[in-house]
């Protein structure tokens, strides 16, 4: 065989191997990007759930604080009434 045919075969082999390596690299990068997108989506969902739970807890906290304030007011009124009724009071 002529030398130029061997050179063409070698160049073609290098091109084919290079194309295969480049294709494999791009496929791997695409898989990484897809995995990153999935992870980001999961993190967003987790953040939304945490935000929703925090908001519910804040609302519950406000409600309990209002109830405590109301109960404190009633207790103060009962204590004032007890002070008025107490015969031992000076």
């Amino acid at each position: 065989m002529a030398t130029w045919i061997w050179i063409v075969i070698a160049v073609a082999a290098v091109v084919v191997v290079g194309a295969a390596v480049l294709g494999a690299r791009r496929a791997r990068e695409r898989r990484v990007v897809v995995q990153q997108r999935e992870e980001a989506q999961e993190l967003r969902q987790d953040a939304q759930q945490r935000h929703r739970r925090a908001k519910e807890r804040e609302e519950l906290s406000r409600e309990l604080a209002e109830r405590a304030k109301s109960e404190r007011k009633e207790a103060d009124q009962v204590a004032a009434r007890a002070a008025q009724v107490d015969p031992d009071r000076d």
Side-chain angles (χ1 to χ4, degrees):
M1 243 193 247
T3 305
W4 67 272
I5 292 176
W6 286 108
I7 293 173
V8 169
I9 291 172
V11 168
V14 168
V15 169
V16 168
V17 169
V21 168
L22 184 61
R25 182 180 292 167
R26 286 186 179 169
R28 184 178 55 97
E29 287 174 358
R30 273 187 249 125
R31 281 193 307 271
V32 167
V33 168
V34 167
Q35 289 173 345
Q36 288 174 336
R37 285 183 182 141
E38 289 173 354
E39 182 181 1
Q41 182 62 28
E42 290 173 6
L43 291 172
R44 283 186 197 101
Q45 289 174 350
D46 184 43
Q48 287 174 348
Q49 289 174 350
R50 288 175 184 235
H51 181 72
R52 193 171 24 256
R53 279 193 306 245
K55 188 173 182 179
E56 289 171 0
R57 288 178 179 157
E58 286 174 350
E59 291 173 6
L60 178 61
S61 175
R62 279 189 216 109
E63 181 181 323
L64 290 174
E66 288 175 13
R67 267 195 228 162
K69 185 177 179 180
S70 174
E71 289 177 9
R72 234 181 283 120
K73 185 177 178 181
E74 288 177 25
D76 289 343
Q77 289 173 351
V78 170
R81 176 71 179 134
Q84 289 176 351
V85 173
D86 189 3
D88 296 329
R89 189 173 149 227
D90 292 308

